[in-house]
Amino acid sequence: MNFKKAKQNRIFQDVVEQIEMAILDARIGAGERLPAERELCEMFQTSRGTLREALRILEQKSLIEIRLGVNGGAYVKDANAELMAENLAMLIRSQTISLAHLAEFREGVEGSVARLAAQRASSVDIIKLYGLLAKADDFRKSGTSGWSDFVRIDERIHTEIARIAGNPLYVFILSSVHDNIQRYYDTFLRVGTEEMEENYRDLGQIIEAIKNGEEEAASSRASEHVRKFSRYMERKKRKIIPIQ
Amino acid sequence: MNFKKAKQNRIFQDVVEQIEMAILDARIGAGERLPAERELCEMFQTSRGTLREALRILEQKSLIEIRLGVNGGAYVKDANAELMAENLAMLIRSQTISLAHLAEFREGVEGSVARLAAQRASSVDIIKLYGLLAKADDFRKSGTSGWSDFVRIDERIHTEIARIAGNPLYVFILSSVHDNIQRYYDTFLRVGTEEMEENYRDLGQIIEAIKNGEEEAASSRASEHVRKFSRYMERKKRKIIPIQ
DNA sequence: GTATCATCAATGGTCAAACCATTATAATAA
DNA sequence: TTATTATAATGGTTTGACCATTGATGATAC
């Protein structure tokens, strides 16, 4: 059998479940405020300490956000990817997964996403992508000073491709990965105009493949693009930390 | 600039961070027990209520597990994928992502994983896979009565392939996906011997491709295999819920 | 001696009432 | 009008008490 252990009766758990249901069933909408703690205590017939334990859990789940002062309280948050980003971060910090693992995972995901985008991109999507590419071109022209802007646009393009793929799960997962990999890019990825040129060409090719509906080309080019970035980073890393 | 808002001084946050650091730096090992609440209060110079709010957060993060009674207390847990599974479940419940999205995502991931496995499988890995395949064969032979066992072995094979791929992130992600998709399979996926035969053949082909190091074949067959399952499910679903 | 049962103490779970800290808003002064 | 101050709503924290669960210990019966 496969039952979970019957829950030990913890009042705050029950409170969490009730509020969680209300939020997930959209009985309370994003941006709205829950009643004040002391009111909730009366509603749930519980003490403030117990209620606050429930609020901590909901806050940790990113379902609510607590604000201070008058008009403060528990505000319902939008469903978003923050939670997953933090989970990834924890796995990395606990050294269960390494940067190399994360990069490899991203390689696979970006490939899948590009393939779907090639299947599904509308003409409007294509125009949007070329618009972003033009911006990247501007930053590229301004040389190494435009590097950080270039990276930002690069990420925007990848996010846009994920959106075009039409599967919100990919958007969540990729934004988590980006959040967690970004730190390393900032630290290890200070490259010259040469690499920027190369990445710009890559982006152009990926977008072109998507435009023409060439699934395989889009997928393999996106994977290769990510792999290239990772290799730059590994190389830089080794220069900075020669032996470890 | 990219700084986060300076943290409002919440004592329990500070307590969470200190304990979290101790756990992630392995100053406290998995399975060990933190001091009792009342002792921790003295150590952190805080009240029990505040300390318990911190414990709730750590519990929600799956870093600790609380047990009751004598010898009870906060036990440090293994890092695992539970958290991500729950996040996925929440995204599904909040109807941000649908079953179809999850299945499509799985399709991409299983493809990537099979590709990596084809690159990296050792002869021992191959033997293990064929061992699992033989078990699947047994259940297949016992007809529809062996169906649920067959599905279980099917999942074991996929998990094993993820392990062979050598990237723990894939193992985490896939086990989360499995956890969340399993429920639907149980509900919608009661198929006959015909489909079981077909799935068995698929598994054999995937494993063979991995054995021969044929990346592309392994990847596309794994994707196709998952897609087939999803289509069965969609069909069943429509029969049960004709219009919705 | 062994097995069963009752008691006890350690530990988490809950409650209640008070006070502090932060902040939007209203009242007041310039 | 504008700047300052007071007020009150709301979250953050403390204290101390009591309840509930559970493993260990020792008493009792066989």
Side-chain angles (χ1 to χ4, degrees):
Chain A
M1 278 305 151
N2 199 10
F3 291 123
K4 287 186 180 174
K5 183 188 167 191
K7 64 176 176 187
Q8 53 180 314
N9 268 340
R10 301 205 284 183
I11 295 179
F12 63 80
Q13 279 291 1
D14 192 57
V15 173
V16 165
E17 275 163 34
Q18 288 197 50
I19 298 181
E20 188 173 347
M21 282 306 146
I23 293 175
L24 295 180
D25 297 352
R27 293 206 301 276
I28 318 173
E32 283 185 65
R33 193 185 69 169
L34 297 181
E37 289 186 357
R38 291 161 177 88
E39 284 180 64
L40 285 171
C41 290
E42 284 212 8
M43 292 167 63
F44 287 109
Q45 282 296 301
T46 184
S47 74
R48 230 181 124 204
T50 300
L51 182 96
R52 282 175 60 83
E53 293 188 30
L55 291 182
R56 288 293 84 71
I57 292 173
L58 291 166
E59 191 182 18
Q60 176 58 32
K61 285 190 178 190
S62 294
L63 285 172
I64 60 172
E65 170 194 349
I66 308 295
R67 295 185 206 153
L68 237 54
V70 151
N71 287 346
Y75 285 80
V76 176
K77 286 183 70 172
D78 259 338
N80 57 27
E82 271 177 42
L83 24 154
M84 275 207 223
E86 199 179 323
N87 289 166
L88 269 188
M90 197 142 67
L91 286 174
I92 293 172
R93 265 182 301 167
S94 71
Q95 300 177 327
T96 307
I97 66 173
S98 68
L99 175 59
H101 288 138
L102 187 60
E104 182 178 85
F105 177 73
R106 186 186 170 194
E107 199 181 309
V109 174
E110 298 270 16
S112 301
V113 162
R115 172 180 277 114
L116 290 175
Q119 290 171 16
R120 298 171 182 174
S122 71
S123 50
V124 177
D125 295 330
I126 300 296
I127 291 170
K128 204 162 176 184
L129 283 177
Y130 275 110
L132 289 169
L133 191 62
K135 280 189 191 170
D137 196 22
D138 291 342
F139 293 127
R140 177 183 64 96
K141 282 175 184 152
S142 64
T144 48
S145 68
W147 172 249
S148 67
D149 290 316
F150 182 82
V151 170
R152 230 186 52 235
I153 290 289
D154 178 273
E155 187 179 325
R156 279 268 307 275
I157 291 176
H158 285 287
T159 305
E160 184 61 22
I161 293 175
R163 193 195 56 74
I164 294 171
N167 187 332
L169 187 46
Y170 274 118
V171 177
F172 285 133
I173 296 271
L174 265 192
S175 74
S176 308
V177 172
H178 285 154
D179 281 355
N180 283 288
I181 219 165
Q182 199 62 49
R183 235 175 316 146
Y184 291 95
Y185 280 1
D186 289 346
T187 310
F188 296 119
L189 209 60
R190 300 275 167 202
V191 298
T193 51
E194 193 184 326
E195 285 90 346
M196 202 151 66
E197 294 285 341
E198 193 176 359
N199 278 314
Y200 174 72
R201 272 201 306 278
D202 284 354
L203 288 174
Q205 289 180 350
I206 294 170
I207 294 176
E208 198 189 329
I210 290 175
K211 185 186 73 181
N212 299 332
E214 298 162 1
E215 299 178 24
E216 283 307 320
S219 171
S220 59
R221 278 174 189 162
S223 289
E224 184 57 40
H225 174 66
V226 172
R227 195 176 317 149
K228 212 178 284 178
F229 255 67
S230 305
R231 271 205 302 264
Y232 289 158
M233 206 162 50
E234 278 299 320
R235 222 177 297 146
K236 285 275 173 181
K237 202 174 166 184
R238 251 179 252 123
K239 275 188 193 167
I240 296 175
I241 313 168
I243 298 173
Q244 189 172 13
Chain B
M1 280 303 154
N2 200 9
F3 290 123
K4 287 185 181 173
K5 182 187 168 191
K7 65 177 175 187
Q8 52 181 310
N9 267 341
R10 301 206 284 183
I11 294 177
F12 64 80
Q13 278 293 0
D14 191 58
V15 174
V16 165
E17 275 163 33
Q18 289 198 49
I19 297 180
E20 189 172 347
M21 283 305 146
I23 293 175
L24 295 180
D25 297 352
R27 293 205 301 276
I28 318 174
E32 282 184 65
R33 193 185 69 168
L34 298 181
E37 291 185 356
R38 292 163 176 87
E39 284 179 63
L40 285 171
C41 290
E42 283 212 9
M43 292 166 64
F44 287 110
Q45 282 297 301
T46 183
S47 73
R48 227 180 128 206
T50 300
L51 181 94
R52 282 175 59 84
E53 293 188 29
L55 291 182
R56 288 293 85 71
I57 292 172
L58 292 166
E59 192 182 17
Q60 176 57 31
K61 285 189 176 190
S62 294
L63 284 172
I64 61 173
E65 169 194 350
I66 307 295
R67 295 185 206 153
L68 238 54
V70 120
N71 287 345
Y75 286 81
V76 176
K77 287 182 68 172
D78 261 339
N80 56 28
E82 271 176 43
L83 25 155
M84 273 205 223
E86 201 182 320
N87 289 166
L88 269 189
M90 196 142 68
L91 286 174
I92 293 172
R93 265 182 302 168
S94 71
Q95 300 177 327
T96 307
I97 66 173
S98 68
L99 174 58
H101 288 138
L102 187 61
E104 182 179 86
F105 176 72
R106 185 185 170 194
E107 199 182 309
V109 174
E110 298 271 15
S112 302
V113 162
R115 181 191 311 269
L116 289 174
Q119 290 171 18
R120 297 172 183 174
S122 70
S123 51
V124 177
D125 294 330
I126 301 296
I127 291 170
K128 204 162 177 183
L129 284 177
Y130 274 110
L132 289 170
L133 191 62
K135 281 189 191 170
D137 196 21
D138 291 343
F139 293 127
R140 175 183 65 96
K141 282 174 185 152
S142 64
T144 48
S145 68
W147 171 249
S148 66
D149 290 316
F150 182 83
V151 170
R152 231 186 52 234
I153 289 289
D154 178 272
E155 186 180 325
R156 279 268 306 275
I157 292 177
H158 285 287
T159 306
E160 184 61 22
I161 294 175
R163 193 195 55 73
I164 294 171
N167 187 332
L169 187 46
Y170 274 118
V171 178
F172 285 132
I173 296 271
L174 264 192
S175 73
S176 309
V177 172
H178 286 154
D179 280 356
N180 283 289
I181 219 166
Q182 198 62 49
R183 234 175 318 145
Y184 292 95
Y185 280 1
D186 288 346
T187 310
F188 296 119
L189 209 59
R190 301 274 168 201
V191 298
T193 50
E194 193 185 327
E195 286 90 345
M196 202 151 67
E197 295 286 340
E198 194 177 358
N199 279 314
Y200 175 72
R201 272 202 306 279
D202 284 353
L203 288 174
Q205 289 181 349
I206 294 170
I207 293 176
E208 197 190 329
I210 291 175
K211 185 186 74 179
N212 298 332
E214 297 162 2
E215 299 178 24
E216 282 307 320
S219 171
S220 59
R221 279 174 189 162
S223 289
E224 184 57 39
H225 174 66
V226 172
R227 196 177 315 149
K228 212 178 284 178
F229 255 67
S230 305
R231 271 204 303 263
Y232 289 159
M233 206 162 50
E234 278 299 320
R235 222 177 297 145
K236 286 273 172 182
K237 201 173 165 185
R238 252 180 252 121
K239 275 187 192 167
I240 296 174
I241 312 168
I243 298 172
Q244 189 172 11

